[in-house]
Amino acid sequence: MNPDNAPASSRISTVRLALAILFVVLSTAYVWWQFGHISLTLVVAAAFGAYMAMNIGANDVANNVGPAVGARAMSLATAIAIAAVFEAAGAIIAGGEVVGTIKGGIIDPANIADAGAFVWLMMSALLAAALWLNLATAIGAPVSTTHSIVGGVLGGGIAAAGWGVANWGTMVSIVASWVVSPVLGGLIAAGLLYLIKRRITYRTDLVAASGQTVPVLLALMAWSFVTYLCVKGLGALVKLDILPALAIGAVAGAVAYVWVKSAISRRAASMQNHRDSVNRLFTLPLMAAAALLSFAHGSNDVANAIGPLAAIHDALISQGVHGKVAVPLWVMLLGAIGLSVGLALYGPRLIKTVGDEITEIDPMRAYCIAMAATLTVIVASQLGLPISTTHVTIGAVFGVGFLREYLKANYQRIIAEIEAHHAAHETERHEVEAFFARFEAASRAEKSEMIKKLKREVKAGLTPISKQERKSLRRYHKQALVKRSIMLKVVAAWIVTVPASALMAAGIFFMIRGVALG
């Protein structure tokens, strides 16, 4: 960091912290004003819920907008504004009037008969999950907010009622998701990127290739995203089975295909035969994708903050423990606003990590990442597979990067070695240089044909290039296009999320119980 910028950075950090504290204080003050005469415990729980909501916004929302920002499809400020609005809208409009008190069924609330112990359990889970997310955001590690609250509930539940309270079968599913989620996301993203390379970027005429393929890709995007919205984003408002959702998505896809096909036809004459022209075709769809993903995220993951808080409210008011509870409007608003506040104040850190620091992303790669996340969630939800949307998205980013490593040919090293071998012979050197000049300018398909022709010429002795040198042209030289240090940090954070939040929750539970009983 530039020393001259240190004071300004420190001031910005102080302002962010002050605004975060202000949100928690205002939330707590409102609950004190409304419910302080009923229960001071609820006032403290509201502070924990506000803190948790901010941390969800700071850490989890980056997955929805990070790839689009990294691809320069929109600015960081635009991404934050879009995500903040649609996160809040998703939480308020489609967050659900009723939520489950125990996220993921990790423990059975029937095993916690005492309402007081249940309240302490949920408070410890909220605070532990929020603290873990805060730490993960500070070190730049995108983690699963669902796993964070699951770990908190697990640790608090064991502290409250012993090891038998946990549903260990569910825990096995969660551990499996550490592998299933990123692998599925990575494979789908890599497959889509390879398809784009074969159908567009490896072609000589990029404009013509775009006219044929991009409408299909964006129609697929419209189909999958509208299906995703029907199945996940609006699930609390309208219950749709997968077949009606797919049908609605198919209509949206058909409309998108016709519209995009027409738009590209009109622009074809002014489009340059360059991949930047192709990338620009994905800009508006990526902005729409960021908005839709944010809406769906707000409608689903706000429950990680409001679920425990609504459970605490219900337990304190009814003096009982229930599996599902109604969500008061103030709890929903606290969660929705908290998501947006956390995103605006601390979201840029993780957005830059997802969009810039793992691997280089352009609009075509961002499209593959967004599509992988959406398709994986749709498929996994129908198969009953345990997944984390965070793990899916980051796995897709890794998948794109590793495919680029595999496919990225470092021809300069190979060419230098071959040219050095023939440098002593003037005629051979000129012949080799001329071949490589043509080879570098050729398309992917043309390169393949040139290598096949070279194989025949090597056998016939018509070229100075040797058999071994010809084979070297077929090898791809791996470049470090995925930053291993960040990958290891992220994977390590995923692995320790549940045990870390569980241990913290257990410790916090004993402290709260000690204070309450002391």
Side-chain angles (χ1 to χ4, degrees):
M1 180 185 293
N2 188 333
D4 295 335
N5 295 331
S9 177
S10 178
R11 286 194 296 272
I12 292 173
S13 298
T14 301
V15 170
R16 285 175 176 165
L17 179 60
L19 291 174
I21 293 173
L22 178 62
F23 172 71
V24 175
V25 169
L26 290 176
S27 301
T28 306
Y30 173 80
V31 179
W32 175 284
W33 174 52
Q34 290 288 328
F35 304 102
H37 62 286
I38 299 176
S39 172
L40 293 179
T41 301
L42 183 59
V43 176
V44 177
F48 292 176
Y51 179 45
M52 176 63 172
M54 281 196 301
N55 279 287
I56 293 174
N59 191 285
D60 218 23
V61 180
N63 304 314
N64 304 327
V65 298
V69 172
R72 307 299 185 266
M74 56 182 167
S75 67
L76 179 61
T78 300
I80 290 174
I82 289 175
V85 170
F86 282 89
E87 285 281 341
I92 294 171
I93 297 172
E97 297 180 355
V98 176
V99 296
T101 57
I102 305 298
K103 184 69 177 182
I106 193 67
I107 65 172
D108 185 354
N111 293 328
I112 313 292
D114 179 56
F118 180 76
V119 168
W120 301 336
L121 184 166
M122 301 310 287
M123 289 178 68
S124 64
L126 263 180
L127 183 56
L131 288 170
W132 171 248
L133 288 173
N134 199 158
L135 175 61
T137 302
I139 65 174
V143 297
S144 170
T145 57
T146 298
H147 287 182
S148 300
I149 195 66
V150 162
V153 171
L154 175 67
I158 292 174
W163 293 92
V165 74
N167 183 343
W168 295 109
T170 301
M171 277 304 305
V172 171
S173 297
I174 291 172
V175 172
S177 75
W178 296 342
V179 177
V180 172
S181 298
V183 169
L184 275 177
L187 288 175
I188 293 175
L192 287 169
L193 182 59
Y194 185 72
L195 174 65
I196 288 175
K197 287 181 176 293
R198 297 291 298 182
R199 299 292 300 172
I200 301 178
T201 60
Y202 287 164
R203 300 299 178 93
T204 303
D205 190 344
L206 296 182
V207 176
S210 298
Q212 294 175 350
T213 306
V214 172
V216 177
L217 293 174
L218 296 186
L220 177 64
M221 187 179 206
W223 167 75
S224 62
F225 273 65
V226 171
T227 301
Y228 178 85
L229 182 63
C230 292
V231 172
K232 301 292 288 184
L234 299 175
L237 292 180
V238 181
K239 294 296 183 183
L240 285 177
D241 292 332
I242 186 63
L243 291 180
L246 287 171
I248 295 172
V251 173
V255 172
Y257 178 84
V258 173
W259 181 75
V260 174
K261 187 78 172 177
S262 175
I264 293 178
S265 297
R266 292 193 303 269
R267 295 176 56 180
S270 61
M271 286 178 64
Q272 295 181 341
N273 191 39
H274 193 275
R275 65 179 294 137
D276 287 344
S277 297
V278 183
N279 272 321
R280 282 193 288 272
L281 298 174
F282 289 88
T283 299
L284 286 177
L286 284 173
M287 295 179 71
L292 188 148
L293 286 172
S294 296
F295 183 92
H297 178 269
S299 67
N300 283 279
D301 281 26
V302 70
N304 291 329
I306 67 169
L309 183 56
I312 292 168
H313 175 270
D314 179 76
L316 291 172
I317 298 300
S318 67
Q319 292 298 308
V321 179
H322 305 97
K324 287 187 176 292
V325 297
V327 182
L329 178 60
W330 70 267
V331 173
M332 185 65 74
L333 289 174
L334 183 147
I337 298 171
L339 285 177
S340 298
V341 171
L343 168 65
L345 295 179
Y346 293 102
R349 174 73 178 89
L350 267 294
I351 290 174
K352 290 178 180 178
T353 297
V354 174
D356 291 326
E357 296 178 0
I358 297 175
T359 191
E360 184 181 342
I361 297 175
D362 65 13
M364 283 184 278
R365 296 167 199 151
Y367 163 86
C368 297
I369 294 165
M371 280 291 295
T374 307
L375 291 174
T376 302
V377 170
I378 293 173
V379 172
S381 64
Q382 297 309 305
L383 297 178
L385 297 175
I387 63 163
S388 161
T389 53
T390 298
H391 293 190
V392 171
T393 303
I394 302 304
V397 175
F398 287 145
V400 164
F402 283 128
L403 178 70
R404 291 179 60 227
E405 283 192 1
Y406 179 74
L407 296 178
K408 189 73 172 178
N410 187 356
Y411 293 118
Q412 296 304 317
R413 179 185 65 82
I414 299 171
I415 291 170
E417 291 177 356
I418 296 175
E419 288 182 339
H421 178 72
H422 297 281
H425 304 280
E426 189 71 16
T427 303
E428 289 185 6
R429 182 172 62 81
H430 285 303
E431 188 174 343
V432 170
E433 288 176 352
F435 173 82
F436 282 127
R438 298 193 306 273
F439 191 77
E440 285 295 307
S443 68
R444 175 79 175 185
E446 290 169 343
K447 282 184 173 74
S448 179
E449 289 300 320
M450 289 177 72
I451 291 174
K452 291 178 182 178
K453 181 180 178 182
L454 187 62
K455 181 177 181 180
R456 295 192 296 268
E457 291 177 349
V458 169
K459 288 183 177 180
L462 300 176
T463 175
I465 298 177
S466 68
K467 179 180 179 180
Q468 187 62 35
E469 290 167 342
R470 189 266 305 172
K471 286 185 175 180
S472 71
L473 289 175
R474 300 181 61 190
R475 297 195 195 107
Y476 289 108
H477 175 62
K478 288 186 177 180
Q479 296 177 330
L481 301 178
V482 176
K483 294 183 180 178
R484 266 55 173 181
S485 59
I486 295 179
M487 182 184 74
L488 293 174
K489 177 175 68 176
V490 169
V491 172
W494 289 353
I495 293 172
V496 303
T497 289
V498 170
S501 54
L503 286 172
M504 285 193 289
I508 293 169
F509 175 86
F510 288 124
M511 285 190 292
I512 293 176
R513 189 177 68 174
V515 171
L517 298 179

